[in-house]
Structure formats: C-alpha cells, structure tokens
Amino acid sequence: MGDRLTQLQDAVDQLAQQFVASIFYINRHHNLEILGPGDQIRDVKQEPDQQEVDPHPEDAFKAAQVELAQDLIMKEQQIETLISLLPGLDNSEQDQEANIKELEEELKVAEAQRQEAIEEKEDTMRKLDTVIRSIRRP
C-alpha cells in the first residue's frame, strides 16, 4: 500500500471513474419520457440493431440508481477518512515546527551513531589488517 497521498489520489481517481460510470449507466438505461407538454422524443435514424437507449425496467433502474449512489457515498466517505489521516490538519504551525525540530534532533543523534559505527569499523579493519600482515607464511 502506498503512502496516504497516493491512496488519496487513487481514491479520487476511483470516485471520478464511478461518476462517469454512473452517468453512462443512467444515460444508457433510462426510459424515454416526455417531461412537459412541449417536449418531443426525437427520432434518430440508427441501424436496426442499435438503440440510443436500452431502458431497464423501472424497479431495476431505481435499484441500480440507489446502488450507484451508495457506492459514490461510500467512496466519498473513504476519501474523507484519508483526508482526516493526513498530518497537520489538527496541528498548529508551531506544533508542526516543534515536531520538525524534534525529528531533526533524532536525525543528528542517528547520524552521530552512524559516524561512531564507521569509525569503529575502520579501527577494526586496521587491527585486522595488522594481524593479517603479522602472520608469517611458512
């Protein structure tokens, strides 16, 4: 799993894909209805086996709309959760600066330990080199 920003970007991308899929479904499977007295259903000449819309039964269409809406809401809630987990939303600027200073101090300590380990390694290597050179071959 990636970092939180990558997860957030992936979730936003998925939400956009769900929006497109929902709009496509609704556009493709709605019933052609006249909404007002001046409306007309346009007559589009298409191939005999091709339809502009493929209406689903009204109960199945409504159920699909509810499911699509629930999916969109669930994804939006996942995005909200990811946003709430991002650092800095509940911290003031001073708190963040103090946290950075604390991390810098930890980094200095770790760097000092690393330098000590390097010096110890080099000292051990010198001693080992001295021992190896002092051994005489028969």
Side-chain angles (χ1 to χ4, degrees):
M1 205 50 103
D3 62 77
R4 289 181 183 147
L5 285 177
T6 303
Q7 291 174 358
L8 179 60
Q9 182 61 51
D10 290 344
V12 169
D13 290 344
Q14 291 169 357
L15 181 64
Q17 290 174 349
Q18 285 179 321
F19 275 127
V20 170
S22 297
I23 291 171
F24 176 80
Y25 177 83
I26 292 169
N27 186 47
R28 181 81 172 118
H29 299 291
H30 70 284
N31 288 324
L32 295 174
E33 294 182 12
I34 297 173
L35 301 176
D39 292 341
Q40 295 179 6
I41 297 176
R42 60 187 179 131
D43 187 23
V44 179
K45 295 182 180 179
Q46 297 178 338
E47 300 295 322
D49 60 338
Q50 185 182 21
Q51 294 179 337
E52 182 178 358
V53 294
D54 179 22
H56 283 181
E58 188 163 339
D59 57 338
F61 184 70
K62 291 288 184 196
Q65 281 182 315
V66 168
E67 184 178 348
L68 290 169
Q70 289 173 341
D71 290 344
L72 290 171
I73 290 168
M74 192 172 356
K75 185 55 70 177
E76 186 275 332
Q77 288 173 344
Q78 289 174 353
I79 290 171
E80 288 292 327
T81 301
L82 289 171
I83 289 171
S84 71
L85 295 175
L86 290 175
L89 292 178
D90 294 331
N91 298 331
S92 68
E93 187 175 341
Q94 292 81 16
D95 291 341
Q96 291 179 29
E97 287 176 6
N99 191 21
I100 289 172
K101 289 184 193 282
E102 183 180 316
L103 290 172
E104 286 175 348
E105 291 301 319
E106 289 178 20
L107 184 60
K108 286 179 185 177
V109 169
E111 179 61 22
Q113 290 173 344
R114 187 180 79 83
Q115 289 298 329
E116 287 177 19
I118 288 173
E119 289 175 18
E120 184 180 337
K121 178 195 82 157
E122 289 174 355
D123 186 45
T124 305
M125 292 292 288
R126 281 192 294 274
K127 288 179 184 176
L128 183 60
D129 190 44
T130 304
V131 170
I132 291 174
R133 290 180 190 265
S134 70
I135 297 177
R136 291 191 175 158
R137 291 189 169 174

